[in-house]
Amino acid sequence: MRAASHALRPAGKRLGLVPTMGALHEGHLSLVRAARAQCDAVAVSIFVNPTQFGPNEDLARYPRPFERDREMLEQEGVDLVFAPTVEEVYGTVADKSVRATPATWVTVEDLSGKLDGRSRPGHFRGVTTVVSKLFHIVEPDVAFFGQKDAAQLAVIRRMVCDLNFPVEIVACPIVREADGLAMSSRNAYLDATQRKEALVLHRSLMRVEELARAGERDATKLAAAGRAEFVKEKSVRLDYFEIVDAETLDPVADVSAGALVAVAAYVGTTRLIDNVLLAAT
Ligand code: AMP
């Protein structure tokens, strides 16, 4: 992989990497298109990373439509698809359920315990470990991540800064379905009823955005208004609804300096996340 990546970027050429877990949709493709626009060559990785899944999460049933993904990427004119096995990424795995346990982890302390990191212990440690490995294997000049996973973006930016990775991080906006639902590979788990119920995530964020636009600055009041939308949607279980600083992920009291409004909720057994950035006023 490293030899192929080197061949793609002779001196002065920029290689972009789009890390994914596959089951590609328009959200992923928007990252690929941004990479194509900003780089000379584009590599996409497809790897369902076991170390970022908790023991009771959806690792086994996570969709893996590899042929379809590969065709989509070919259509987008991607230069390189890197789809390693768990063994290739982590060496020998402890057991056949492919629960890899590397001896060396990359952990962004503090940030990794916030938002999704609080609900999913060990999740961000798995993400930063695999992204470090991908950066070392592919050696991209630029890597593209979706704003959809806002906490992940903050954690990766911090890792790149703290460990001096020579990789520029580019964030791309959230791509949504026509009715507002943020695109996600996990939306495939939803049945028709749940698909409608899932709209409460976007609705709650729109409510907060609307109140902020009308002049409300108090984060406690804004968050309460967002959470209230979930009271009306009994079948959806709220995990968190928080208004935080987009870089530190710490709660803010006032949104005048800009803020990240982030939500996670379970629709049935499917955990969905979404967020919106409030601009500074
Ligand atoms: P995943 O395959 O879920 O790990 O996602 C791979 C990358 O695609 C991550 O950087 C995500 O943030 C990004 N991504 C996923 N869904 C969307 C979306 N709806 N809009 C923009 N980026 C997305």
Side-chain angles (χ1 to χ4, degrees):
M1 178 62 213
R2 192 174 284 147
S5 130
H6 283 192
L8 277 177
R9 53 175 165 85
K13 299 285 186 195
R14 268 158 67 93
L15 174 65
L17 171 67
V18 180
T20 81
M21 298 205 300
L24 302 178
H25 50 65
E26 282 294 318
H28 297 112
L29 297 187
S30 74
L31 306 189
V32 171
R33 288 170 197 148
R36 284 234 299 164
Q38 296 179 39
C39 300
D40 300 294
V42 178
V44 175
S45 61
I46 297 179
F47 182 59
V48 182
N49 174 36
T51 64
Q52 70 189 69
F53 286 78
N56 299 316
E57 293 183 355
D58 55 342
L59 173 63
R61 72 163 176 151
Y62 199 85
R64 291 163 170 87
F66 178 69
E67 265 316 304
R68 181 178 157 274
D69 287 349
R70 204 189 51 73
E71 278 165 27
M72 285 168 84
L73 295 175
E74 197 172 303
Q75 294 241 314
E76 294 293 327
V78 162
D79 300 277
L80 213 51
V81 176
F82 182 47
T85 62
V86 174
E87 284 82 354
E88 281 169 328
V89 172
Y90 287 109
T92 319
V93 290
D95 62 63
K96 282 297 161 205
S97 67
V98 289
R99 288 240 155 254
T101 47
T104 304
W105 294 96
V106 176
T107 310
V108 177
E109 303 286 347
D110 187 42
L111 272 187
S112 291
K114 295 176 181 169
L115 298 185
D116 306 287
R118 198 173 54 231
S119 314
R120 305 179 67 189
H123 170 65
F124 284 130
R125 178 179 82 151
V127 170
T128 42
T129 299
V130 83
V131 170
S132 298
K133 288 165 79 71
L134 290 171
F135 284 180
H136 287 307
I137 296 166
V138 180
E139 297 188 344
D141 301 287
V142 196
F144 295 79
F145 291 89
Q147 180 61 42
K148 158 92 186 326
D149 296 83
Q152 168 175 282
L153 191 58
V155 169
I156 285 171
R157 282 193 193 285
R158 187 61 198 259
M159 174 190 84
V160 163
C161 175
D162 285 355
L163 295 183
N164 309 88
F165 275 97
V167 182
E168 182 192 331
I169 303 300
V170 173
C172 298
I174 302 176
V175 178
R176 299 179 178 283
E177 301 287 356
D179 59 7
L181 181 69
M183 288 194 185
S184 163
S185 304
R186 291 191 167 98
N187 292 349
Y189 298 148
L190 305 173
D191 65 26
T193 309
Q194 293 170 333
R195 173 66 185 73
K196 289 198 193 94
E197 293 164 352
L199 288 174
V200 65
L201 279 85
H202 182 240
R203 202 161 58 237
S204 69
L205 296 172
M206 292 301 92
R207 179 75 186 126
V208 170
E209 197 172 54
E210 178 187 302
L211 292 171
R213 216 180 289 128
E216 181 58 69
R217 294 279 158 269
D218 184 330
T220 307
K221 286 189 188 148
L222 289 170
R227 286 188 197 111
E229 294 294 323
F230 285 82
V231 176
K232 302 178 211 160
E233 193 66 77
K234 295 270 182 286
S235 47
V236 177
R237 184 164 59 84
L238 188 61
D239 177 359
Y240 66 71
F241 192 104
E242 288 194 42
I243 304 187
V244 299
D245 178 281
E247 209 173 303
T248 65
L249 305 182
D250 284 328
V252 295
D254 181 291
V255 299
S256 304
L260 169 70
V261 187
V263 60
Y266 290 89
V267 182
T269 55
T270 304
R271 186 173 181 279
L272 299 178
I273 59 172
D274 199 351
N275 67 85
V276 69
L277 284 168
L278 300 181
T281 49

